[in-house]
Amino acid sequence: MRCVRSLIAAGAASLISSVAFAADMPIAPPPYAPPPVEDFGGWYLRGDIGFSNQSVKEVRNGNEALYTPLLSLNQQTGFDTGGIFGLGVGYQFNNWFRADVTGQYRGRTNFHGQDLVTFPLGGGVIGAGSDNYGASKSEWLVLANAYVDLGTWWCVTPFIGAGVGAARVTISNFTDQGLADFSPGVIAPGFALANSASKWNFAWAAHAGLAYRVSPNLTLEVAYSYVDLGSGLTGPVTTFQGFTTNNPMNFRDITSHDLKLGVRWNLDSPQPVYAPPPLVRKG
């Protein structure tokens, strides 16, 4: 009987010892995975909408001989605001450099212009005249752009950039209403028009803006661009009576100050990776 009690006591002591030993054993951790690393690289798609504020250096007839006898020429020109719609694809190389290729349709805008001229009539008499121009203009613009991101504060990243490419400038619905005063008091009205024409030019742009990273995939932009679109031209100018010299009107050095809202969607955003808590021991 004493042996039985001894065996029971020994078994109980062994069980208690095993439980205590197991309590001191470390808990097996789940497989280790490194903490997530923020990845700035990858392909992205972009879209932009905005509006343009355009200007042209001068508008002149292709027949320069028309300007030779003038004593003075004062020209005023302007475009209405036009819409901008763009799409593109790009790549973020690291946390400060990215590049993309964009295509824009720059919506039709109305053009208004006026020439005020004086010219000699002989015998010291000076005549005066005016030309009032009207037209519309639109463009397709393709640019290869590169950007430098200047650091991020509270998810906002300022950036600068530049682009080069080509612009297809189309001038449509050109009209010219002229009025000349041949002193003393002889008024001669005139009217001319021109067919639409398009012209491809080298184009370039400078960019600056702010980007806000909403999520690892989505970034919003507010941006400004200065764009040089090159020149445009009309078809040959023809008078109301059908007379033409086969000379177009040249729109020289068209530039624009653009304001845009943009969206970038990252196609290669990394997925979150589970990182286990540190190993904890008892005792």
Side-chain angles (χ1 to χ4, degrees):
M1 192 68 177
R2 182 177 299 174
C3 289
V4 173
R5 286 198 299 267
S6 298
L7 288 173
I8 293 174
S14 176
L15 177 61
I16 294 172
S17 175
S18 298
V19 171
F21 178 76
D24 288 334
M25 287 288 290
I27 300 173
Y32 174 75
V37 177
E38 191 171 9
D39 183 5
F40 290 90
W43 291 98
Y44 63 85
L45 300 176
R46 69 172 303 129
D48 299 275
I49 60 172
F51 60 89
S52 63
N53 180 16
Q54 302 173 98
S55 62
V56 61
K57 184 177 180 180
E58 62 179 0
V59 178
R60 292 176 72 93
N61 191 285
N63 183 8
E64 290 291 333
L66 295 175
Y67 301 92
T68 301
L70 298 182
L71 297 176
S72 66
L73 170 61
N74 180 27
Q75 185 173 86
Q76 297 178 344
T77 60
F79 291 97
D80 293 342
T81 297
I84 298 171
F85 311 92
L87 295 173
V89 60
Y91 192 83
Q92 181 91 41
F93 291 90
N94 51 43
N95 63 346
W96 63 271
F97 181 72
R98 56 190 167 89
D100 56 38
V101 176
T102 57
Q104 282 185 0
Y105 173 70
R106 304 169 65 86
R108 180 170 293 185
T109 60
N110 293 324
F111 167 77
H112 312 279
Q114 183 182 60
D115 283 347
L116 298 176
V117 301
T118 59
F119 48 88
L121 293 175
V125 179
I126 296 176
S130 66
D131 286 280
N132 293 292
Y133 303 126
S136 58
K137 181 181 67 64
S138 61
E139 299 95 18
W140 287 97
L141 176 64
V142 179
L143 291 174
N145 306 285
Y147 309 89
V148 175
D149 294 330
L150 304 177
T152 300
W153 295 268
W154 300 285
C155 298
V156 176
T157 303
F159 63 86
I160 56 175
V164 295
R168 184 177 186 268
V169 179
T170 300
I171 308 294
S172 308
N173 306 316
F174 179 83
T175 60
D176 175 5
Q177 299 183 53
L179 193 66
D181 180 6
F182 296 96
S183 299
V186 179
I187 306 298
F191 181 79
L193 49 81
N195 292 330
S196 301
S198 299
K199 182 176 182 289
W200 281 100
N201 305 301
F202 171 78
W204 63 270
H207 313 292
L210 299 173
Y212 180 79
R213 196 173 189 186
V214 179
S215 71
N217 293 97
L218 180 63
T219 301
L220 305 181
E221 286 185 5
V222 177
Y224 161 83
S225 296
Y226 174 82
V227 186
D228 190 316
L229 298 160
S231 300
L233 52 76
T234 69
V237 177
T238 304
T239 67
F240 185 73
Q241 295 83 4
F243 174 76
T244 180
T245 60
N246 293 319
N247 291 296
M249 294 295 292
N250 295 304
F251 287 63
R252 298 179 177 175
D253 196 8
I254 301 169
T255 58
S256 183
H257 300 273
D258 297 346
L259 290 177
K260 299 173 294 181
L261 295 176
V263 176
R264 280 188 272 138
W265 182 259
N266 188 356
L267 300 177
D268 297 325
S269 178
Q271 297 300 317
V273 179
Y274 173 73
L279 185 64
V280 177
R281 292 176 178 269
K282 284 189 174 182

